[in-house]
Amino acid sequence: MNSPNLHGSSENTATRRSRKLPGTQISRNLVWVLTIVAIGVLVAYPVARIFWLAVSDPSTGVWDSAAFQAELASSAMWRATWNTFIMAIAATALGTVVAVPMAWLCERSDMPGRRVITSLVFLTFMNPPLLLGLAYVMIFGPNIGLLTGWLQALGIDSTIYSWWGLIFVTACASFAIIFMTTSSSLAGIDGDLENAARAHGAGAMSLIFRVTLPLVRPAIASGALLSFVLALNAFGVQALIATPARISLLTTEIYSYFSYPVQFSAASTQAVVLIVISIAAAFGANLYIAAKTYPTIAGKGARADITQIPRWARWAAFLACSGAVGLSVVIPMSVVVARSFVRVPGRGFGADNLWLGNYSQLFKLGDVSGALWNSLRYGLSAAALMVLIALALTYFRRERAPGSKFVFTIAEIPFVVPGIVLAIGFIAAFSRPPLALYGTSTILVLVYVSKFLPIAIRFTDNALGQIGSELEEAAYAHGASAGRTFLRVLLPLMKRGLTTAAVLSFIFAFNELSASILLIGTGTQVASTVLLQYSQEGLIGNMNAFAAVLFGITAISYAIVIRLAGNSVMTAGTN
Amino acid sequence: MAAHVAIDGVTKRYSAAADSGGVFDINVVIPGGKFTTLLGESGSGKTTLLRLLAGFLRPSEGTIFLGDIEIASNKMFVPPQARDLAMVFQSYALWPHMTVFDNVAFGLRSQKTPKREILDRVETTLSLVGLEELQHRKPAQLSGGQQQRVALARSLVLEPGLLLLDEPLSNLDADLRVQMRDQLKALQVRTGITFVYVTHDQEEAFALSDHMIVLDQGRILQQGPCEEIYSRPRSNKVAEFMGRRGLHLDGALDSKSQFSISAPSGGKQVLGTFPHVDNRLANGGKATLVVHSESLRLEAPGATSECFLSVPGVVESTSFAGRENQVVVRTGGDHSTTAYAPIRENWAPGETVQMSFRPESSWVFPTGRAGAGASGPDSEPDLATTDVADSSRSSS
């Protein structure tokens, strides 16, 4: 529609979906159909196959629930289930107790350093659990642990290989998301709701417990759910800590069923149990969230006030929050980096014991450069695909394309499916022609796309949501076609948000472990699986150097994200 | 107990920049037990002043007293929750997670009132605003008008010394606004609580208040009883604010209160003698004549009627404005004036007309800055203080 047709233009503004533009319409429909197919292949089909695999004979593919029933009768399986549940619940509870007050202090008080702490929490969110587990083995592990001796001096006869070690490190790896959802909700509260409480006699404590906290309950619940799922997903921590501690977990059990001889039925039954736990948790959390979410009442509202806390409390709070980010990222990662320069472990950090040999040796090991290159390639391809699909999905939902709401919901499922479970779905779905992808690099890229698509969607949706629909309508009203409007108006305005989504998608895919561990083949090793292998083989020097390299790449991505979006990434991903 | 509020030399600066908003050197006494309006355009500082009273802001300078208690000064700051006041917000700010009952009971629970008493007082207040049926609903299940009444009940139940209202009617549609306005006025009279009401709508201000404080650019232009502000505006700006934008004529006043303008032919044309002349023009000088639109009558040139003065002009444009026609008339030079004519009178652009008015419904102010802004604190009339004295006598 390039001719200035006044009548046509005004029609566009009124009902932009009913435009009669045959060519554009067909290609638009085609893109939408392709998006639906992508979600079906990447999400719906593999997830459905997990259930089918559990109740069928793995070699013939016909119904056979005998193995399934036998596995469900196994007490070892239920012990692993119980352990997994307790581990994830305890880590989430610990994370909530730390993250909620921290979010309030950073968002609502005059605590010093609150901006720095907020952005360090985001680094915690991006940092892979494997590195954290590895660092804590360095610090509190038997024999090699820097501080294990101190623990024993204090009379604590324990190492990181214990329940407390597992729960503590898992909480460190998963609490950031609770901080993020809570602080984003706190930032969104209409300040007048709090002002009204103060004008009607509420003191500081009464204000927090009777007004502020009840209003952020849904956000805390949704953060806790995500943290619960992240705890299930922290395969690096589980492999490095729970296995030596002889704590059987569903995830580590599933992994062990994949060593020779492969026991598909047992693995898939446990996968089904794990997915049922996750979905039940999501269902419960969503019921609670729905019951406690109140429609915001119209009004322009005001920005909430910063609470002035007493000077001593300010510094005490700062120390506590620094402690939390210190323990969950700064200290462990510093230990990893420092140790990567140590020649002989256990001889301290003296000048004669420092060298760069760990790094030079590292790249002489055949696996490392190949794995890094693979992770880089797969990560970049997955990120590109994710952003494209996320863009299509959010765009068509905004345009209210038929079925878009449903497809959107399906695409969000992998958020609550642990990576190792998703991997089993991919094995079941893609190991036979016409889609015999098992052992190829494609299956890794596809599983990354499936697993992190929800994150890409959230950041893309946020970027699109910030563009008022009247900007789009104005383009239509001035004769631009849908394609032109998308390319010339929406895309330029979303550039920053899309780059953020792409960098985040990349780094999560780059560091992915829990799905990769089941899907790698010879030649498709990735960085995280090689690192896990080194740590299990006890190659300490190389392991630290490799971990430091991965942390370096994570830190660079983090710096790019913070540069692009600042602390607002916190609110973007979690609404 | 209805408390008066004394604001003594209060300044609130948001930043050092000259036009960053805030209020400057506010001296006023808000009479106890009366309905007082803070009237001003957006950016005039009326909301800042209200938030200073509530305690959401601290004054940069000056002292505020609520009753006889000093609530804010350089040395002293009583937080909002410890002030004997309540507030109705523009957005209502009802807590969405509480029922109507819990919203209204909130303040009493903060005061640790016994349960039995809370029940009684909340129910009494809810029936006062006609919402006892809806007490178990959540705010989102109520209409705008009902939400507004919950917000009001939540404040009234505390029987505060002072009730602050921040444009509470601005989110309602026109009919409901007028209806709620009457209810608010009735409630104020019935409870005897000191109401301080912020609005930018002068019509609303006149309908509601006993006392009015007109603000502009962070300063008080004039304050006093409503009738006085309407009939004796102390500056050009207040006069303009009180009525629809009407006739402005620049000219000169001589010492005998005769106002003259420069005639089209050159020389001076004496318009007449005016009763309402600003004190600052006691010795004559450059002056501006102001007449509200509602006091102007459009006539064919040459028509004369007794007691009316008239100014000639040319019709620039006309438009239909509901109950009347809006006619823009250009008088000599660049001035255009908006007048209103009955619908049956048809004025066409280009026609010559005359605008007639009574001298007693017009005011003469010094021309320029002196007439536009507020004058120094010495010339402030002492009306407010007298009112407080009266009300404290009657309430004790």
Side-chain angles (χ1 to χ4, degrees):
Chain A
M1 158 127 11
N2 289 323
S3 62
N5 177 335
L6 198 62
H7 178 68
S9 304
S10 60
E11 203 174 65
N12 280 345
T13 9
T15 53
R16 56 189 151 107
R17 278 188 297 130
S18 65
R19 264 165 297 113
K20 298 279 181 284
L21 295 163
T24 323
Q25 199 62 42
I26 289 166
S27 47
R28 261 167 62 99
N29 289 347
L30 194 65
V31 174
W32 176 227
V33 168
L34 280 175
T35 311
I36 297 175
V37 170
I39 299 300
V41 171
L42 289 172
V43 182
Y45 180 55
V47 170
R49 282 304 293 260
I50 299 166
F51 290 92
W52 179 243
L53 185 64
V55 293
S56 64
D57 184 311
S59 49
T60 60
V62 295
W63 174 268
D64 176 11
S65 64
F68 183 66
Q69 284 166 357
E71 187 59 26
L72 284 185
S74 133
S75 65
M77 205 273 308
W78 289 113
R79 194 174 336 110
T81 305
W82 176 246
N83 285 345
T84 309
F85 184 72
I86 291 299
M87 179 275 295
I89 283 283
T92 300
L94 180 59
T96 310
V97 169
V98 173
V100 172
M102 241 177 115
W104 186 86
L105 286 166
C106 287
E107 188 60 45
R108 282 305 175 72
S109 79
D110 55 352
M111 181 180 74
R114 50 190 195 272
R115 294 184 66 87
V116 177
I117 287 173
T118 303
S119 44
L120 282 177
V121 171
F122 196 71
L123 178 60
T124 316
F125 176 66
M126 290 177 68
N127 197 34
L130 175 64
L131 296 189
L132 201 63
L134 212 131
Y136 271 104
V137 171
M138 292 290 110
I139 300 172
F140 289 121
N143 309 322
I144 51 165
L146 286 173
L147 302 182
T148 317
W150 295 18
L151 280 185
Q152 277 152 1
L154 287 169
I156 301 168
D157 188 24
S158 179
T159 66
I160 198 76
Y161 296 148
S162 59
W163 267 107
W164 71 258
L166 178 63
I167 291 168
F168 171 75
V169 180
T170 309
C172 284
S174 61
F175 87 103
I177 191 76
I178 308 175
F179 178 100
M180 291 162 66
T181 54
T182 309
S183 62
S184 136
S185 167
L186 280 171
I189 292 182
D190 176 357
D192 274 345
L193 289 178
E194 294 190 345
N195 284 336
R198 296 197 289 157
H200 293 90
M205 285 297 130
S206 177
L207 172 64
I208 290 175
F209 286 100
R210 292 169 66 195
V211 176
T212 312
L213 264 184
L215 290 172
V216 297
R217 272 180 309 194
I220 297 174
S222 107
L225 167 69
L226 296 174
S227 152
F228 181 86
V229 178
L230 285 178
L232 296 181
N233 248 318
F235 187 77
V237 177
Q238 292 150 13
L240 286 178
I241 294 173
T243 309
R246 297 180 187 286
I247 298 167
S248 72
L249 297 173
L250 285 174
T251 47
T252 51
E253 292 287 289
I254 292 174
Y255 178 50
S256 70
Y257 286 130
F258 272 83
S259 52
Y260 193 79
V262 179
Q263 293 172 267
F264 274 118
S265 302
S268 57
T269 307
Q270 301 210 347
V272 167
V273 173
L274 202 47
I275 204 174
V276 167
I277 292 179
S278 309
I279 289 175
F283 192 72
N286 286 331
L287 276 186
Y288 179 82
I289 292 166
K292 300 291 178 193
T293 302
Y294 307 96
T296 8
I297 292 159
K300 62 178 173 185
R303 193 164 163 68
D305 281 347
I306 296 293
T307 306
Q308 294 180 344
I309 50 179
R311 185 176 283 268
W312 65 268
R314 232 181 280 171
W315 288 101
F318 173 68
L319 284 178
C321 292
S322 312
V325 287
L327 287 174
S328 56
V329 65
V330 179
I331 296 169
M333 289 308 111
S334 307
V335 168
V336 166
V337 173
R339 276 222 152 181
S340 70
F341 297 108
V342 168
R343 187 196 299 259
V344 183
R347 290 226 189 123
F349 295 97
D352 57 330
N353 200 26
L354 296 181
W355 69 334
L356 291 169
N358 291 332
Y359 288 93
S360 56
Q361 273 183 10
L362 186 65
F363 289 98
K364 286 183 195 138
L365 295 168
D367 303 344
V368 171
S369 11
L372 266 178
W373 172 237
N374 283 347
S375 286
L376 207 63
R377 279 192 301 155
Y378 305 164
L380 288 174
S381 325
L385 274 174
M386 268 184 260
V387 171
L388 275 182
I389 298 175
L391 193 56
L393 211 51
T394 47
Y395 174 75
F396 283 109
R397 190 179 67 157
R398 182 180 168 111
E399 298 284 291
R400 297 197 192 83
S404 57
K405 259 189 159 167
F406 178 71
V407 177
F408 206 86
T409 313
I410 298 290
E412 298 248 291
I413 290 178
F415 227 49
V416 297
V417 177
I420 201 159
V421 175
L422 199 60
I424 291 182
F426 269 69
I427 293 172
F430 303 120
S431 45
R432 260 178 254 270
L435 290 167
L437 300 175
Y438 185 60
T440 66
S441 49
T442 313
I443 200 165
L444 284 162
V445 173
L446 294 185
V447 86
Y448 297 158
V449 173
S450 177
K451 186 175 174 189
F452 299 116
L453 189 57
I455 290 185
I457 289 176
R458 277 164 196 240
F459 281 89
T460 312
D461 200 24
N462 186 266
L464 190 60
Q466 283 172 355
I467 304 168
S469 59
E470 66 278 3
L471 289 183
E472 217 179 321
E473 282 160 359
Y476 289 133
H478 292 85
S481 68
R484 195 177 152 78
T485 302
F486 181 78
L487 289 177
R488 300 296 298 274
V489 177
L490 292 183
L491 215 49
L493 288 169
M494 290 173 75
K495 219 167 21 182
R496 193 175 268 258
L498 285 181
T499 318
T500 308
V503 176
L504 279 170
S505 308
F506 163 74
I507 200 64
F508 280 112
F510 178 82
N511 284 320
E512 210 286 331
L513 174 66
S514 68
S516 316
I517 198 83
L518 292 188
L519 295 173
I520 49 166
T522 29
T524 58
Q525 292 257 17
V526 292
S528 57
T529 58
V530 170
L531 180 58
L532 180 64
Q533 189 194 322
Y534 282 1
S535 68
Q536 284 166 338
E537 289 168 2
L539 297 167
I540 293 177
N542 296 328
M543 176 186 88
N544 277 317
F546 198 12
V549 169
L550 296 192
F551 178 69
I553 295 172
T554 308
I556 291 168
S557 310
Y558 163 78
I560 296 174
V561 168
I562 292 294
R563 184 76 197 267
L564 280 174
N567 282 350
S568 68
V569 286
M570 293 287 186
T571 48
T574 53
N575 277 324
Chain B
M1 222 209 47
H4 68 274
V5 180
I7 303 171
D8 190 5
V10 166
T11 291
K12 171 69 194 176
R13 272 183 292 269
Y14 289 108
S15 79
D19 52 356
S20 65
V23 293
F24 308 97
D25 195 28
I26 300 290
N27 286 287
V28 71
V29 175
I30 295 169
K34 292 273 174 70
F35 202 124
T36 299
T37 310
L38 302 180
L39 179 65
E41 291 155 354
S42 61
S44 62
K46 56 192 193 304
T47 301
T48 300
L49 192 54
L50 195 77
R51 295 174 87 82
L52 282 165
L53 296 183
F56 303 141
L57 296 175
R58 292 180 111 152
S60 314
E61 283 159 39
T63 312
I64 305 173
F65 295 90
L66 176 56
D68 298 323
I69 304 163
E70 184 178 320
I71 53 170
S73 68
N74 284 339
K75 297 176 292 266
M76 164 90 204
F77 183 75
V78 180
Q81 62 266 30
R83 297 183 179 189
D84 180 21
L85 54 79
M87 180 158 170
V88 177
F89 291 79
Q90 185 172 18
S91 62
Y92 315 139
L94 297 179
W95 300 297
H97 58 294
M98 298 182 196
T99 61
V100 168
F101 183 94
D102 290 335
N103 263 284
V104 178
F106 184 93
L108 295 174
R109 286 180 181 147
S110 294
Q111 295 173 355
K112 308 257 183 294
T113 311
K115 266 208 164 106
R116 188 69 244 162
E117 193 188 333
I118 292 181
L119 203 65
D120 288 347
R121 282 171 66 178
V122 172
E123 293 204 330
T124 314
T125 314
L126 281 176
S127 64
L128 185 70
V129 296
L131 284 176
E132 63 274 55
E133 306 287 312
L134 303 177
Q135 55 174 299
H136 300 299
R137 295 248 187 115
K138 292 270 170 70
Q141 299 166 295
L142 304 179
S143 69
Q146 288 167 337
Q147 287 175 8
Q148 215 272 329
R149 281 182 284 161
V150 176
L152 200 59
R154 177 173 74 179
S155 295
L156 288 175
V157 74
L158 293 174
E159 294 166 13
L162 170 66
L163 180 61
L164 305 173
L165 303 102
D166 185 7
E167 308 209 23
L169 304 183
S170 62
N171 287 332
L172 302 177
D173 46 28
D175 283 348
L176 199 55
R177 192 153 56 216
V178 173
Q179 199 184 324
M180 283 304 299
R181 188 196 278 176
D182 298 341
Q183 282 193 26
L184 263 184
K185 180 73 192 165
L187 277 170
Q188 193 276 328
V189 171
R190 189 158 153 192
T191 58
I193 293 171
T194 309
F195 275 37
V196 176
Y197 186 100
V198 160
T199 184
H200 63 267
D201 180 343
Q202 37 95 5
E203 198 185 324
E204 196 168 284
F206 280 120
L208 283 166
S209 41
D210 306 312
H211 196 81
M212 203 182 275
I213 298 170
V214 187
L215 287 153
D216 183 56
Q217 294 174 7
R219 295 175 196 277
I220 294 182
L221 285 184
Q222 189 171 355
Q223 52 124 345
C226 291
E227 307 75 25
E228 182 183 289
I229 297 214
Y230 186 82
S231 59
R232 276 185 282 148
R234 288 189 48 251
S235 63
N236 187 344
K237 187 102 187 175
V238 176
E240 207 175 290
F241 204 57
M242 288 305 110
R244 295 192 280 197
R245 191 182 163 81
L247 178 67
H248 279 238
L249 273 184
D250 287 334
L253 197 79
D254 66 15
S255 50
K256 290 173 218 137
S257 290
Q258 283 204 326
F259 183 78
S260 52
I261 52 174
S262 27
S265 53
K268 276 176 163 190
Q269 180 196 343
V270 174
L271 214 57
T273 310
F274 293 88
H276 303 315
V277 175
D278 192 280
N279 312 346
R280 284 165 291 181
L281 284 169
N283 300 318
K286 282 190 161 189
T288 303
L289 176 74
V290 179
V291 189
H292 285 162
S293 286
E294 54 267 33
S295 308
L296 288 173
R297 209 161 79 181
L298 287 183
E299 291 171 331
T304 51
S305 29
E306 217 165 316
C307 307
F308 275 78
L309 295 172
S310 58
V311 176
V314 179
V315 174
E316 197 168 78
S317 65
T318 66
S319 55
F320 179 60
R323 283 164 292 186
E324 58 216 333
N325 279 325
Q326 183 180 314
V327 185
V328 177
V329 180
R330 178 167 294 269
T331 48
D334 288 337
H335 287 291
S336 53
T337 303
T338 305
Y340 294 87
I343 287 169
R344 60 191 146 76
E345 288 180 16
N346 275 319
W347 297 97
E351 253 183 288
T352 49
V353 286
Q354 67 179 28
M355 293 181 281
S356 306
F357 55 95
R358 289 172 183 274
E360 53 271 31
S361 51
S362 64
W363 301 274
V364 183
F365 299 107
T367 302
R369 276 190 59 80
S375 47
D378 330 329
S379 56
E380 288 283 342
D382 215 11
L383 295 161
T385 349
T386 350
D387 276 3
V388 174
D390 286 344
S391 70
S392 57
R393 254 200 310 280
S394 61
S395 63
S396 53

